Amino acid sequence: MRVLRSFAVIAAFTSVVACSNEAVRLTPNAVATPTPAPTAAPAGSVGSLKTITTIASTVDVGTGAGAGDQNPYGLAIAPVTAGLETAGDLIVCNFSDKANVNGNGTTIEDISPVQGSAPKRLAQSASLAGCDAVSISSNGYVWAADYTANNNPIVSPSGTIVTTLAQGPWAGPWGQMFNSGNGGKPAFFATNAKNGTVIRININAGPTFSFDTILTGLSYNNGAPGSILAPAGLTYDNASDTLYIVDSNANRVIRINGATTAPPNTYAASGSTFNSTMVSTVFQGTPLASPISMTTLANGDLVVANTAASSLGNNVLVEINPATQAVVSTTNVDPGAAGALFGMVAAVVNGTQTIYFNDDNDNTVKSLTP
């Protein structure tokens, strides 16, 4: 276990809430056999969401370094009003620079979730290079997984880099997710694209941060930025302490039961099998096609976003019931070139199931509603 002592300014992080890819509620402002989606989607499922609305461009409009950054990857919802953030705002990070060089983006944007909004720069730093995933603590601090910079910076609501957590066991950070203090033990989780591991970052008294590797052996393709397939999108069920992981290079979703208390350096994958029953496959195969992002609906179903073309289209969302291990519904949210979907978060807004997603075909963040 590696331990990193942090700064007093983030002492409030000993209480956190999942809000990156886990379904949130907002007031206004063994291998499963692939199952085809039913023709009629039940109410509240992704197949029943038909309206796509462009919220805003995600291209950085600041000046100097980071200006024009594009290719949005990470996406989360601000849970509180603090600093430059307003509760309900969409927090987006850009993976590429103005020249669209993958992995060179260095900016995080704050966007009001209202059609016609404009991005406001929250943070810019070389330590954010290749930001690909974000989660936000209950007091508005943004945690960013940065592939190129190979770290996990913590950014204050006012946009200050508090720490980069540079001493963590990073190998191309590629996804992350908070738990919400299950069992009184707050933590968040990250994946590494260059070695197929899942990391738990424990938030201890002080605070200090310690790092545990809780799963090894997942597949990764050693792809260059823009073609990376490795353990990626994460979502977390607090009630059961279950961490769900998109295993992109294997076209599957897996889960770790008891993720908060999983022993370090114990669980391992070997092809389609695992060395413990605490780790299992939820679903594998068609219609998943190089999926990367994932979120959770209010009904508990998982929604996974494909990045490769399939018989269902080029940019398809696939809803999976983790209990039945079956596909519930699918929908295509962009008929354009494949590989547009990076970053997704579900929320219930004014009683309506909503999915926000980044669309890299036109550098926007959009909403999907009934």
Side-chain angles (χ1 to χ4, degrees):
M1 176 184 292
R2 302 186 186 182
V3 179
L4 173 65
R5 188 168 300 278
S6 189
F7 304 93
V9 69
I10 49 175
F13 287 174
T14 54
S15 175
V16 298
V17 60
C19 59
S20 176
N21 289 317
E22 185 175 14
V24 294
R25 294 181 181 271
L26 300 175
T27 52
N29 218 57
V31 176
T33 300
T35 305
T39 55
S45 72
V46 71
S48 70
L49 307 180
K50 303 295 185 181
T51 303
I52 298 175
T53 303
T54 298
I55 302 297
S57 167
T58 58
V59 176
D60 182 84
V61 294
T63 59
D69 277 3
Q70 57 184 299
N71 206 9
Y73 270 36
L75 175 62
I77 297 175
V80 295
T81 297
L84 300 174
E85 302 169 8
T86 299
D89 281 359
L90 304 175
I91 306 301
V92 178
C93 69
N94 287 307
F95 188 66
S96 305
D97 61 14
K98 183 178 182 179
N100 201 25
V101 177
N102 288 323
N104 280 4
T106 60
T107 54
I108 298 177
E109 314 295 329
D110 181 301
I111 299 172
S112 175
V114 179
Q115 185 178 14
S117 296
K120 299 177 296 182
R121 181 186 288 183
L122 177 65
Q124 188 281 323
S125 171
S127 65
L128 293 170
C131 179
D132 53 71
V134 290
S135 285
I136 309 177
S137 72
S138 58
N139 55 359
Y141 282 68
V142 179
W143 302 56
D146 299 333
Y147 179 84
T148 304
N150 200 42
N151 59 23
N152 252 294
I154 299 173
V155 183
S156 77
S158 61
T160 301
I161 307 293
V162 178
T163 177
T164 62
L165 294 181
Q167 296 181 34
W170 311 126
W174 197 236
Q176 64 181 324
M177 167 54 63
F178 273 104
N179 76 16
S180 50
N182 183 281
K185 185 180 180 182
F188 75 98
F189 304 93
T191 59
N192 279 318
K194 293 182 178 181
N195 65 8
T197 58
V198 180
I199 308 299
R200 181 179 64 223
I201 299 86
N202 308 298
I203 305 173
N204 308 310
T208 61
F209 301 102
S210 57
F211 306 86
D212 292 327
T213 300
I214 61 172
L215 181 61
T216 62
L218 295 176
S219 176
Y220 56 100
N221 70 347
N222 286 312
S227 62
I228 297 167
L229 293 175
L234 305 176
T235 190
Y236 177 79
D237 178 47
N238 184 67
S240 63
D241 190 24
T242 300
L243 179 69
Y244 295 95
I245 305 158
V246 176
D247 191 5
S248 304
N249 204 39
N251 282 323
R252 66 179 175 178
V253 175
I254 66 172
R255 60 183 156 208
I256 302 175
N257 295 317
T260 304
T261 57
N265 305 312
T266 300
Y267 300 155
S270 178
S272 62
T273 64
F274 305 93
N275 67 349
S276 171
T277 56
M278 297 299 285
V279 186
S280 61
T281 296
V282 175
F283 186 89
Q284 184 170 21
T286 306
L288 297 183
S290 300
I292 289 183
S293 302
M294 180 167 58
T295 190
T296 307
L297 298 178
N299 63 11
D301 287 354
L302 308 174
V303 179
V304 184
N306 285 342
T307 64
S310 73
S311 61
L312 298 176
N314 286 352
N315 297 289
V316 172
L317 302 184
V318 180
E319 179 181 357
I320 299 168
N321 183 313
T324 63
Q325 299 183 307
V327 172
V328 176
S329 65
T330 64
T331 190
N332 189 340
V333 294
D334 185 336
L341 303 181
F342 294 89
M344 180 170 55
V345 60
V348 176
V349 182
N350 295 331
T352 299
Q353 178 67 74
T354 301
I355 297 175
Y356 298 104
F357 64 95
N358 292 331
D359 190 333
D360 286 26
N361 275 344
D362 59 6
N363 289 303
T364 61
V365 60
K366 295 181 166 82
S367 65
L368 179 65
T369 55

